[in-house]
Amino acid sequence: APALFYVNLSNTALTNMQAFHQALNQAEGAAGLVVDMRGYPGININEVAQRLALEPFSSPIFQVPVIDGLDRSTIDELTYPLSPLTSPSFAGPIVLLVGHASVSAAENFSTMLVDAGRVTVMGRRSAGTNGNITGVQLPGGFAFTFTGMEVRHADAEHSQFHAIGIAPAVESVLTAQDFRDGIDRELEDAVSYLLTL
């Protein structure tokens, strides 16, 4: 698909913002862009989202319960506005690839672009686990982590995110034959979709 461009935001592939800027410059004029967020991001996700957005947008809504007493609690709520950045940027159609390994910051990034209406999501559903991390050490050398934060979509309904995640518009179905033949079915589906536009 020579008219399309692909960028993998995983920290195993991209750890330098300058390399992302170069990729966007190379993508200029492409008929479509596949943004692969099936791993954990290695660069500033806010800036990446700003360079892909066409209109001002918002972070997800972060809600933290505050317990003031036995029967007293409040919710601290935070969201922050973001504006598009140009030079470099991309204004064409975008497919965002997510999967079961898209967690935390990857989901934060994905939520921003989904809520901005900027991408068509493909792949498989993300983990649905965004939020800050609290750790507890237990006897015997054990530990566990959890989040006390509730993350919600920045839409009028403040839609639920946890346990739902980022749902693809078109979910890819992986087969044993794909694994055997080394076929990335999610990427193939994204390319096929962009070629129909």
Side-chain angles (χ1 to χ4, degrees):
L4 304 179
F5 198 83
Y6 169 86
V7 61
N8 185 346
L9 295 180
S10 170
N11 60 8
T12 60
L14 187 63
T15 58
N16 179 304
M17 189 57 77
Q18 185 60 36
F20 176 69
H21 291 176
Q22 291 170 353
L24 281 186
N25 283 327
Q26 292 171 356
E28 186 178 354
L33 174 66
V34 177
V35 175
D36 193 337
M37 192 67 274
R38 293 178 289 177
Y40 196 83
I43 57 177
N44 183 323
I45 56 171
N46 288 346
E47 182 182 334
V48 173
Q50 288 176 281
R51 295 194 179 281
L52 300 178
L54 301 178
E55 303 286 337
F57 63 103
S58 172
S59 73
I61 298 166
F62 305 104
Q63 297 178 335
V64 179
V66 178
I67 309 298
D68 295 329
L70 186 59
D71 293 321
R72 294 190 321 258
S73 66
T74 58
I75 300 288
D76 280 352
E77 188 170 283
L78 168 70
T79 185
Y80 50 91
L82 294 153
S83 297
L85 296 174
T86 58
S87 300
S89 62
F90 186 79
I94 300 173
V95 165
L96 174 66
L97 280 182
V98 297
H100 303 327
S102 303
V103 301
S104 195
E107 293 179 301
N108 198 65
F109 167 76
S110 300
T111 302
M112 288 188 284
L113 291 179
V114 166
D115 290 351
R118 184 62 183 103
V119 295
T120 299
V121 179
M122 298 186 75
R124 295 181 295 154
R125 188 180 296 269
S126 73
T129 59
N130 193 10
N132 61 3
I133 298 172
T134 300
V136 177
Q137 290 293 130
L138 300 171
F142 294 99
F144 75 93
T145 59
F146 63 95
T147 183
M149 176 184 284
E150 184 170 2
V151 179
R152 293 195 164 262
H153 286 276
D155 56 18
E157 297 81 26
H158 291 201
S159 301
Q160 181 179 338
F161 172 81
H162 286 127
I164 295 173
I166 302 296
V170 178
E171 188 152 1
S172 296
V173 178
L174 310 185
T175 67
Q177 185 174 343
D178 290 337
F179 286 106
R180 183 196 69 199
D181 297 341
I183 294 171
D184 185 339
R185 177 58 51 205
E186 296 159 319
L187 180 57
E188 294 285 334
D189 289 348
V191 168
S192 294
Y193 171 79
L194 284 170
L195 290 175
T196 67
L197 299 180

